[in-house]
């Protein structure tokens, strides 16, 4: 786990982090992988949930703003494996994993594979329904490395899917089709807000009516996963662009080229770029601050909580590191702690913990795993070790659901 020396150093250098650490070969003062105090393996699963975990995780980054942070939610701190099931997951050309990350709503877990869309019972992992007449689209990365299968995005009893044949809305309880729009192939993950569905397509970003799927507008912009808040849609492609959610009209554009989808919280747009982590004003796109730690050090899309930004720095010449940065004030956020993750990513936070994917080292002496870090000091409290790479989890109140890149879905509850 992160040492006192590391935490003290970051606290001492917080104000001058851009200068003090920019020349280091590693992002952190050391580059040892964290050692969680508890590791949950792939042994026999325990009992099903007696009481279902609370809350939902309806999209891959939790909400329409892509923050990755649900409030008032406490995933287990001493987890036990509740159930495990393996989906039919044929290899998909161009995708880094054979399955999407999970979404959760109304007591069901939703995923896509090359075989179609699936819904599992949150209680015990049994299959509720599957559809095999659609092919989920492969989209750019929303969190880690490599292209991904677009997961179902769930809102108000409907699961919205981005497919090679267009956008499909399914009744979430039984998987039957509510509507289908085949005007253009979907190329990214839908975002649902108010009564609209905003989907990257071959025609640009398209705003659909969530009730019947008719096209409202199309804008000539690139996107992977739009962020939507307060009537504004923010997309990231060759530049960062804000659109009116009702009309699709351009409100502003900023010459900031993110490498990952934008995140919107409060009145700030957060974007990770090859020139640093940047904060833009939501109302006009002006740059408010930038965390710049030297050329060639890209930042991932951050996870945003009321007090903390979590982002992975990717130096290129050194292992990746998860950074926790303090929010507050008008200037750039200050680094609080960092921890080695090694070509990994941080995707979610809740209950005073951040969750990162740590791949196994090249010598294969340790398996890849999902690791939980404490918010204040960055201690690695528990991890899920698996022979296959875990994908970003869904965080619930009293539960965690994740899936490996080969289609094994697992759920954890409290001890």
């Amino acid at each position: 786990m992160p040492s006192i020396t590391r935490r003290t150093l970051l606290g001492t250098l917080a104000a001058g982090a851009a200068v003090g650490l920019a020349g280091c070969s590693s992002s952190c003062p050391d580059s040892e992988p964290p050692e969680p105090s508890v590791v949950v393996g792939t042994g026999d699963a325990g009992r099903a949930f007696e009481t279902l975990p609370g809350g939902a995780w309806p999209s891959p980054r939790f909400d329409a703003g892509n923050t990755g942070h649900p409030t008032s939610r406490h995933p287990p701190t001493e987890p036990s494996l509740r159930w495990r099931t393996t989906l039919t997951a044929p290899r998909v050309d161009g995708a880094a994993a054979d399955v999407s990350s999970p979404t959760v709503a109304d007591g069901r877990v939703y995923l896509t594979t090359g075989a179609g869309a699936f819904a599992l019972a949150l209680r015990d992992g049994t299959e509720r329904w599957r559809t095999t007449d659609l092919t989920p689209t492969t989209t750019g990365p929303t969190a880690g490395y490599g292209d991904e299968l677009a997961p179902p995005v769930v809102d108000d009893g409907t699961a919205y899917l981005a497919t090679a044949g267009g956008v499909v809305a399914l009744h979430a309880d039984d998987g039957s089709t509510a509507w289908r729009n085949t005007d253009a192939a979907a190329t990214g993950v839908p975002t649902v807000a108010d009564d609209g569905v905003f989907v990257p397509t071959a025609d640009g970003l398209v705003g659909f009516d969530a009730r019947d799927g008719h096209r409202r507008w199309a804008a000539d912009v690139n996107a992977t996963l739009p962020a939507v808040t307060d009537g504004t849609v923010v997309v990231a492609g060759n530049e960062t662009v804000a659109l009116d959610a009702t009309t699709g009209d351009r409100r502003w554009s900023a010459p900031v080229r993110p490498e990952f989808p934008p995140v919107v919280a409060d009145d700030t747009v957060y974007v990770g770029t090859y020139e640093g982590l940047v904060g833009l004003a939501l109302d006009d796109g002006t740059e408010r601050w930038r965390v710049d730690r030297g050329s060639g050090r890209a930042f991932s899309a951050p996870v945003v909580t009321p007090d903390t930004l979590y982002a992975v720095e990717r130096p290129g010449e050194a292992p990746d590191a998860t950074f926790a940065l303090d929010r507050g004030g008008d200037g750039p956020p200050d680094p609080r702690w960092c921890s080695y993750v090694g070509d990994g990513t941080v995707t979610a936070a809740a209950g005073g913990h951040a969750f990162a994917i740590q791949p196994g080292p090249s010598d294969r002496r340790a398996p890849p795993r999902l690791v939980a870090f404490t918010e204040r000091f960055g201690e690695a409290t528990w991890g899920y070790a698996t022979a296959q790479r875990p994908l970003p989890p869904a965080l619930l109140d009293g539960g965690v659901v994740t899936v490996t890149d080969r289609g094994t879905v697992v759920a954890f509850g409290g001890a």
Side-chain angles (χ1 to χ4, degrees):
M1 68 178 59
S3 64
I4 294 295
T5 300
R6 180 190 304 176
R7 298 198 299 265
T8 302
L9 179 61
L10 288 183
T12 302
L13 296 180
V19 175
L21 294 178
C24 297
S25 61
S26 174
S27 291
C28 293
D30 59 62
S31 58
E32 294 298 320
E35 292 296 335
S37 54
V38 174
V39 176
V40 182
T42 56
D44 293 337
R47 63 193 183 280
F49 287 108
E50 296 176 1
T51 302
L52 286 183
W57 192 270
S59 71
R61 296 276 300 192
F62 172 63
D63 57 13
N66 299 333
T67 65
H69 176 254
T71 59
S72 304
R73 190 169 298 183
H74 299 281
T77 55
E78 297 181 2
S80 62
L81 184 62
R82 290 303 179 95
W83 55 259
R84 179 179 60 247
T85 189
T86 299
L87 302 178
T88 301
R91 292 295 175 96
V92 177
D93 291 340
D98 300 331
V99 63
S100 73
S101 58
T103 53
V104 180
D106 301 321
R108 289 177 290 271
V109 180
Y110 304 90
L111 307 102
T112 59
T113 78
F118 294 77
L120 309 177
L122 177 59
R123 184 175 300 279
D124 58 12
T126 56
E127 185 176 308
R128 288 290 183 86
W129 54 259
R130 73 169 71 181
T131 62
T132 58
D133 62 343
L134 55 85
T135 302
T137 195
T138 301
T139 183
T142 60
Y145 291 98
D147 290 347
E148 308 169 3
L149 293 184
V153 175
V154 188
D155 181 75
D156 195 24
T158 302
Y160 300 92
L161 281 81
T163 79
V167 184
V168 179
L170 305 177
H171 294 292
D173 56 352
D174 62 7
S176 60
T177 300
W179 54 259
R180 186 185 301 257
N181 189 304
T182 59
D183 287 350
T187 60
V189 182
T191 299
V192 185
D194 300 326
D195 61 350
V197 184
F198 307 93
V199 187
T201 76
D203 290 344
L205 185 73
V206 177
F208 296 95
D209 190 295
R211 295 163 296 187
D212 59 15
H214 79 265
R215 179 187 290 213
R216 292 174 169 173
W217 52 260
D220 186 16
V221 293
N222 297 321
T224 296
L225 175 62
V228 184
T229 186
D230 295 333
T232 300
V233 183
V234 182
V235 295
N238 295 328
E239 58 183 350
T240 304
V241 178
L243 307 171
D244 185 286
T246 302
T247 65
D249 294 337
R250 183 174 295 216
R251 290 182 170 175
W252 54 259
S253 60
V256 176
R257 181 175 181 175
E259 299 304 315
F260 296 94
V263 178
V264 179
D266 303 323
D267 58 352
T268 300
V269 179
Y270 301 88
V271 289
T273 78
Y274 273 110
E275 288 76 40
L277 183 64
V278 181
L280 305 175
L282 178 62
D283 58 354
D284 61 7
T286 55
E287 184 172 318
R288 289 178 166 172
W289 50 259
R290 181 182 294 253
V291 177
D292 181 1
R293 294 185 2 94
S295 64
R297 291 175 176 258
F299 273 92
S300 69
V303 173
V304 182
T305 79
D307 301 314
T308 307
L309 298 178
Y310 298 99
V312 171
E313 186 189 63
R314 296 172 169 167
E317 80 286 356
D320 294 357
T322 294
F323 270 77
L325 303 102
D326 289 318
R327 292 184 68 190
D330 296 327
D334 292 330
R336 184 189 311 146
W337 56 258
C338 70
S339 183
Y340 169 92
V341 289
D343 297 337
T345 187
V346 59
T347 64
H353 285 77
F355 290 77
I357 307 297
Q358 178 195 340
S362 58
D363 60 13
R364 302 295 183 186
R365 288 180 296 178
R369 58 192 174 189
L370 172 68
V371 181
F373 296 93
T374 61
E375 180 177 25
R376 185 68 188 95
F377 293 122
E379 292 102 346
T381 57
W382 68 269
Y384 163 54
T386 169
Q388 301 168 351
R389 180 170 58 90
L391 300 187
L395 306 185
L396 306 171
D397 203 13
V400 175
V401 179
T402 189
V403 61
T404 71
D405 59 354
R406 297 296 174 249
T408 298
V409 192
V410 293
F412 303 99

